[in-house]
Amino acid sequence: MPPRRRAYLPLEINDKYLILSEAMETSTTPLDRSARATDADGFTPAQVKRVIRETTDAVSLVLDVPDQARDRFHYLAGQFVTIRVDLGGAQHRRCYSMSSSPAVETDLRITVKRDRDGLVSNWINDAVGIGDELHIAPPEGRFVLTGATRDVVTFAGGSGITPVFSLVHSTLAATAHKARLFYANRNLESVIFRDALAELADIHPGRFEVHHHLDDRDGIVSPQRIADFIAGGNLTGTDYYICGPTPFMDTVERVLLDAGVPKQQMHLERFTVAAIPPPDPAEPTVTEEVTIELDRRTVTVPYRAGNTLLQTARLAGLKAPSSCETGSCGTCMAQVVEGRARMLNNDALDDDEVAEGWVVTCQALPTSRTVKVVYE
């Protein structure tokens, strides 16, 4: 039996809160509301309604989803959408978290930070304007609030603030719980949502605290600084959310585990793809072929060393489902029914699902001579 998808219910709004004002916001223009069909890959065209320059290297886009597709774009705080763009004659897909809060705002907003080598992120920051059209797939992701039973403590590094801001804003607007944020950046000028976070602290005194860590002032984030931030807190009565660069996330995770935080109360969202490690000496078997069952098709292909099961499916000409490609969303999950595979990273599947052979194929490497994987 396939694993049951986790059901996350939106939290009810118990008070009316103001939508935070945004600095440096451009004016809006009338939008074409004509109906456009969602294509065969599940992407819907959405026009850019507003462009908000957050910092010199980060921009927010407010997207206008066609009325006919709005039911498909209800989302939970912390989720992301996949953007499809055509640049230089090639198609590119990227995942961007919503920075808006579904408990407060009706519009869907993504925030994109420029990546030095990022083709799509640079294009979005430099070229996208009001009235432009982006093709987006419905929201996905499991980096969401687990319920209204515990306070939340969040850790964000750089652009990792994007889903974290949505989580914090929703917690404050829709529950009576407290929220704390440890936010690390290079310097003051690189702090995304600096004014909005200060406004949240003013609106919710005693319920929200933000600690800014600036590398040029405080040095690189150390385990001791994380330990100091969580000292005195109710470790087992709190949910912890972590998003940012891999070294930052690893530091936070290690400190929390050492402090005794239950692993099930730690939630991580990774933006980077894990590197393919060298072969494990404990797994000397060389994989020869992989059989993939998807959409009533069964294909057997020779295995190319180093490829994940998702890459193998693509090379076999199959349109395997995928989105984040970091092992976080679970979109590409499939079951290994013959043979073995190991995952480089898994932030999507529970232990019982893994025990039943389920893998996130974007992070799964085959480890037996033959492997058969079945997509649900």
Side-chain angles (χ1 to χ4, degrees):
M1 293 291 291
R4 198 169 4 179
R5 297 288 188 180
R6 297 178 180 86
Y8 297 108
L9 299 179
L11 301 173
E12 294 182 358
I13 301 176
N14 52 22
D15 277 302
K16 182 177 180 180
Y17 291 92
L18 294 174
I19 298 177
L20 298 182
S21 59
E22 302 282 359
M24 302 173 66
E25 185 175 306
T26 60
S27 61
T28 59
T29 58
L31 297 174
D32 176 12
R33 302 299 299 166
S34 60
R36 293 190 177 96
T38 297
D39 65 23
D41 289 335
F43 284 83
T44 298
Q47 285 187 317
V48 176
K49 185 177 180 181
R50 286 185 291 167
V51 177
I52 305 163
R53 176 54 60 184
E54 305 289 357
T55 68
T56 57
D57 61 356
V59 65
S60 289
L61 304 179
V62 177
L63 303 178
D64 189 56
V65 178
D67 292 339
Q68 294 77 8
R70 283 192 179 274
D71 287 346
R72 301 176 62 242
F73 286 88
H74 292 305
Y75 67 97
L76 302 178
Q79 289 190 308
F80 61 86
V81 291
T82 302
I83 305 291
R84 186 186 67 197
V85 299
D86 294 303
L87 297 175
Q91 185 182 104
H92 304 272
R93 298 187 183 190
R94 298 291 186 273
C95 300
Y96 294 114
S97 298
M98 265 74 73
S99 55
S100 49
S101 165
V104 178
E105 300 158 275
T106 57
D107 288 326
L108 186 156
R109 182 182 69 215
I110 61 172
T111 301
V112 181
K113 184 176 181 180
R114 184 189 303 276
D115 187 331
R116 183 182 60 184
D117 301 316
L119 179 66
V120 177
S121 67
N122 284 321
W123 174 76
I124 288 176
N125 270 267
D126 294 336
V128 175
I130 292 174
D132 288 343
E133 193 171 81
L134 297 178
H135 287 78
I136 61 176
E140 296 182 88
R142 298 185 177 190
F143 187 66
V144 299
L145 297 172
T146 58
T149 60
R150 288 189 284 262
D151 293 339
V152 300
V153 172
T154 59
F155 299 87
S159 61
I161 190 61
T162 306
V164 167
F165 182 75
S166 181
L167 293 171
V168 166
H169 201 175
S170 294
T171 296
L172 296 173
T175 80
H177 292 285
K178 296 180 180 179
R180 301 181 68 217
L181 168 63
F182 184 101
Y183 188 16
N185 282 281
R186 297 188 309 273
N187 50 47
L188 191 63
E189 291 69 31
S190 62
V191 178
I192 303 172
F193 308 137
R194 183 172 62 179
D195 292 340
L197 288 168
E199 188 172 353
L200 273 181
D202 289 341
I203 294 174
H204 303 282
R207 290 188 58 215
F208 177 56
E209 171 196 350
V210 57
H211 173 78
H212 288 287
H213 179 101
L214 305 177
D215 291 349
D216 66 350
R217 180 192 67 191
D218 307 315
I220 300 299
V221 175
S222 67
Q224 186 59 52
R225 290 190 180 274
I226 301 300
D228 291 344
F229 182 73
I230 64 173
N234 181 6
L235 298 181
T236 59
T238 303
D239 279 320
Y240 297 84
Y241 295 85
I242 311 164
C243 187
T246 298
F248 171 79
M249 294 183 63
D250 290 345
T251 297
V252 175
E253 182 181 20
R254 185 169 61 252
V255 171
L256 293 181
L257 289 173
D258 290 345
V261 174
K263 193 171 182 62
Q264 65 269 24
Q265 290 172 216
M266 295 170 50
H267 313 276
L268 291 80
E269 179 82 321
R270 301 184 188 276
F271 286 166
T272 56
V273 179
I276 302 295
D280 188 341
E283 298 172 345
T285 303
V286 176
T287 302
E288 297 176 3
E289 65 179 26
V290 175
T291 299
I292 303 168
E293 186 176 319
L294 171 65
D295 292 337
R296 300 181 181 178
R297 290 182 61 191
T298 300
V299 178
T300 299
V301 294
Y303 175 65
R304 186 178 299 178
N307 281 353
T308 64
L309 291 176
L310 176 61
Q311 291 169 325
T312 303
R314 288 172 174 167
L315 289 173
L318 299 172
K319 297 183 68 172
S322 66
S323 190
C324 74
E325 300 197 20
T326 62
S328 298
C329 71
T331 303
C332 66
M333 63 188 295
Q335 188 175 28
V336 176
V337 296
E338 295 178 15
R340 301 182 307 277
R342 64 185 175 97
M343 288 182 283
L344 305 173
N345 181 60
N346 168 37
D347 293 321
L349 303 176
D350 293 332
D351 290 342
D352 57 345
E353 294 170 341
V354 174
E356 292 175 0
W358 291 91
V359 296
V360 280
T361 57
C362 69
Q363 297 291 306
L365 296 174
T367 58
S368 55
R369 189 180 68 81
T370 61
V371 173
K372 181 177 181 179
V373 59
V374 178
Y375 283 86
E376 60 177 327

